[in-house]
Amino acid sequence: MSTTDDSFSVTSESLEIQKKPLKEKWWHIMDTWKIGIIPLPLFLLAGALIAVDCLGGKLPSDIVVMVATLAFFGFACGEFGKRLPIVGKLGAAAICATFIPSAMVYYGLLPDVVVESTTKFYKSTNILYLYICCIIVGSIMSMNRTTLIQGFLRIFFPMLCGEIVGMLVGMGVGLALGMEPFQIFFFIILPIMAGGVGEGAIPLSIGYATLLHMDQGVALGRVLPMVMLGGLTAIIISGCLNQLGKRFPHLTGEGQLMPNRSNGDEPAPAAPAFSGKTDVTTIAAGALLAVLLYMIGMLGHKLIGLPAPVGMLFVAVLIKLAHGVSPRLLEGSQVVYKFFQTSVTYPILFAVGVAITPWEELVHAFTIDNLLVIVSTVSALVATGFFVGKKIGMHPIDVAIVSCCQSGQGGTGDVAILTAGNRMSLMPFAQIATRIGGAINVSVSLLVLGNFLV
């Protein structure tokens, strides 16, 4: 009966559309047929305009043209990933948005003018940091104060346990495969947990070049593919965890690390509700708040060397806990967060894939031994986060997704992992896992290596 009713309703809807005037049929197409968030007619128009520029031999790298270019390619790759059978629900959209562009660049399938303009725009604007600061500030401002502080205090223990277990399991698998212990730890496991490329792989390569008397380029070539494969594994696991949360809702807080309780069974005060009626000036103020907090983070980086996103994160938490901004401005920050989450994620991932994701190095690292060590390391790290988080009263799936970020490609990896896991609100905790955890791993390991060689 239900199937017949559904078929009847669909048929009735189709008949109603056919009876509507031509303009309303057009509006229906604009509102319902979409690639990502882009109405299909606008998507086709964007593609045509980009093609005209490419045929002319020059695609401007200014922000106006790049918005259309990154949106066109980013949402096309993301939509393709979403529509893949089975894996489409396991994070394939984020993977496709990042790695399809990288492969297209390597095989010459993407026009050179698109590659040049995208790379120039990405590297000259640092748009990734604008994205991260708006996501971090918006997610912090929308959190409940009690669960926020409890989450920050408790997340370090699952992270530490996960790293220890992940290293031990990775070493055990590598030794069982007959690999050298030095190679396993310093050129596979450590790069995975180093915090990405800029904060992890590059400092590691510099340290190895100095301590091991090897060329930095050679060291980076050996380290970087492990970072990428670790991040790819984490994206897939994050997508699987998202599906696990849908099947077992009691295991997840849907982006909240802590149950929304303050004492016993007393519900904690809720964060300001999102009304959807925020005016434009408040939204603009929310965006400016995020930018200014990031500038404070940059100042902290100059003074004490703390990564700017982490410094910004701590300042945002302090402001939230001290009631430093009004509920109206909190809602403005939340709108900015929602905008960047829904509209900027896939364009950013496309730019990352084109500008800084080397496909050739990724393919060369695809050996069975490397994959077994990497997958076992990341899986053990995440599983430990899951069970330890559950043991100490946190939502295990959300803790496990944060643990995935410990093996991601820095800020870009956090974006891809949280997108696959549909948990972008966890970005503040992901940044702690990536930036602080990675910096500690690199510093301690290089210190130990230096003393060992002496």
Side-chain angles (χ1 to χ4, degrees):
M1 177 65 73
S2 61
T3 304
T4 305
D5 291 342
D6 291 341
S7 301
F8 179 75
S9 63
V10 171
T11 305
S12 301
E13 184 179 350
S14 301
L15 290 173
E16 288 181 10
I17 294 172
Q18 291 176 6
K19 293 178 181 178
K20 289 181 178 179
L22 182 60
K23 66 177 182 180
E24 293 190 18
K25 292 180 181 178
W26 174 250
W27 292 343
H28 177 77
I29 293 174
M30 293 282 285
D31 290 340
T32 58
W33 295 12
K34 295 183 178 182
I35 304 296
I37 66 163
I38 309 175
L40 182 60
L42 296 186
F43 180 82
L44 296 175
L45 177 60
L49 294 173
I50 294 168
V52 169
D53 282 339
C54 291
L55 291 173
K58 184 177 181 181
L59 184 70
S61 60
D62 59 77
I63 190 170
V64 176
V65 177
M66 281 295 102
V67 165
T69 303
L70 300 186
F72 176 81
F73 287 105
F75 283 112
C77 294
E79 192 72 19
F80 174 78
K82 285 180 182 179
R83 295 182 180 275
L84 290 175
I86 303 176
V87 295
K89 297 181 179 180
L90 303 179
I95 294 172
C96 289
T98 306
F99 293 102
I100 286 180
S102 175
M104 292 176 69
V105 171
Y106 178 72
Y107 294 112
L109 301 177
L110 202 61
D112 291 340
V113 288
V114 174
V115 176
E116 293 169 4
S117 298
T118 301
T119 303
K120 181 179 179 181
F121 174 78
Y122 178 82
K123 293 186 175 180
S124 64
T125 59
N126 278 335
I127 190 171
L128 176 65
Y129 290 102
L130 174 63
Y131 176 90
I132 289 176
C133 74
C134 289
I135 289 289
I136 288 178
V137 173
S139 56
I140 287 177
M141 295 306 169
S142 61
M143 285 183 186
N144 169 268
R145 293 174 69 251
T146 304
T147 55
L148 173 64
I149 193 63
Q150 289 178 348
F152 273 106
L153 290 175
R154 293 197 192 185
I155 192 61
F156 290 99
F157 186 61
M159 285 170 49
L160 177 61
C161 293
E163 290 201 349
I164 294 172
V165 174
M167 289 178 179
L168 293 175
V169 170
M171 285 294 296
V173 171
L175 292 173
L177 293 170
M179 303 173 70
E180 296 181 2
F182 187 86
Q183 164 72 14
I184 299 169
F185 183 80
F186 286 101
F187 285 94
I188 299 181
I189 295 177
L190 183 58
I192 293 174
M193 302 182 185
V197 179
E199 296 84 358
I202 292 177
L204 270 182
S205 66
I206 295 173
Y208 290 168
T210 303
L211 298 173
L212 302 177
H213 306 292
M214 60 190 302
D215 183 80
Q216 184 190 347
V218 174
L220 185 60
R222 293 178 61 183
V223 166
L224 189 57
M226 306 307 164
V227 176
M228 296 173 60
L229 286 175
L232 178 60
T233 304
I235 293 170
I236 296 171
I237 293 176
S238 181
C240 294
L241 287 167
N242 182 41
Q243 293 303 309
L244 183 65
K246 292 179 179 179
R247 186 165 184 176
F248 302 100
H250 65 282
L251 296 176
T252 178
E254 293 293 338
Q256 295 291 331
L257 289 179
M258 302 295 303
N260 193 24
R261 303 281 175 183
S262 53
N263 292 307
D265 295 326
E266 292 288 331
F274 175 58
S275 67
K277 300 179 181 179
T278 310
D279 62 84
V280 175
T281 57
T282 305
I283 297 172
L288 182 61
L289 172 65
V291 172
L292 293 177
L293 290 181
Y294 184 76
M295 292 177 68
I296 294 175
M298 293 174 63
L299 181 61
H301 177 67
K302 292 180 180 178
L303 295 177
I304 60 176
L306 188 68
V310 177
M312 173 194 67
L313 187 155
F314 288 147
V315 174
V317 170
L318 289 175
I319 290 176
K320 171 70 175 181
L321 296 179
H323 299 286
V325 293
S326 66
R328 185 178 177 184
L329 189 53
L330 291 179
E331 188 166 343
S333 298
Q334 190 175 356
V335 174
V336 174
Y337 159 75
K338 290 288 185 183
F339 169 77
F340 274 83
Q341 178 189 15
T342 57
S343 305
V344 186
T345 299
Y346 291 114
I348 283 285
L349 291 176
F350 170 79
V352 167
V354 170
I356 61 171
T357 306
W359 179 258
E360 184 178 14
E361 295 181 8
L362 179 67
V363 172
H364 286 168
F366 255 95
T367 66
I368 296 298
D369 288 355
N370 286 345
L371 286 176
L372 288 174
V373 173
I374 290 169
V375 171
S376 61
T377 300
V378 178
S379 299
L381 186 158
V382 175
T384 303
F386 181 97
F387 289 110
V388 173
K390 184 177 181 180
K391 192 70 175 177
I392 62 176
M394 305 176 78
H395 291 299
I397 286 179
D398 301 273
V399 175
I401 290 177
V402 172
S403 298
C404 287
C405 296
Q406 292 178 260
S407 52
Q409 299 180 57
T412 59
D414 291 344
V415 174
I417 291 166
L418 297 181
T419 300
N422 195 28
R423 299 290 193 286
M424 195 61 73
S425 59
L426 294 175
M427 180 62 81
F429 304 101
Q431 288 289 296
I432 289 177
T434 302
R435 310 282 181 176
I436 296 180
I440 292 173
N441 289 337
V442 171
S443 301
V444 172
S445 298
L446 288 179
L447 183 63
V448 170
L449 179 61
N451 291 332
F452 176 76
L453 293 176
V454 170

